[in-house]
Amino acid sequence: METLGVDYLTKQQYNLLGGDHDPVQIPVTIVSGAGALLGGTVLGRITASGKYTPYSATHTDGSEVARVILARDIDATSADAAVSAYVHGEF
């Protein structure tokens, strides 16, 4: 991959919000097995369970549609995890 002189770094982003538009959050449940997720992760909703998992365009379970943005870090490695997610705002 050509980098065009740009160095890519992995960086945890804590300040997701921008602009003056008020964000809207909803409670969501992250499905067990999703792993440790960072705030800012885009999530899709699994149709059968209504639980959320990281979005992927290649999924066919409903999570191929981006629905929300995770509001904070969460670990759903071994159990479902309840957390807030953004459904509206400037990011």
Side-chain angles (χ1 to χ4, degrees):
M1 178 172 88
E2 186 175 336
T3 63
L4 302 174
V6 176
D7 292 327
Y8 293 92
L9 301 174
T10 301
K11 180 180 171 184
Q12 189 168 9
Q13 181 71 5
Y14 288 103
N15 189 7
L16 298 173
L17 303 175
D20 296 326
H21 200 75
D22 291 334
V24 177
Q25 294 184 49
I26 62 169
V28 299
T29 300
I30 309 300
V31 69
S32 178
L37 304 175
L38 296 176
T41 300
V42 176
L43 304 172
R45 187 178 66 227
I46 301 168
T47 303
S49 67
K51 296 177 183 177
Y52 289 77
T53 193
Y55 157 83
S56 174
T58 62
H59 289 174
T60 58
D61 60 0
S63 64
E64 70 275 13
V65 177
R67 300 276 184 181
V68 298
I69 299 172
L70 191 60
R72 64 175 179 86
D73 299 354
I74 194 81
D75 189 353
T77 301
S78 59
D80 288 353
V83 67
S84 292
Y86 298 106
V87 293
H88 184 80
E90 291 182 62
F91 303 93

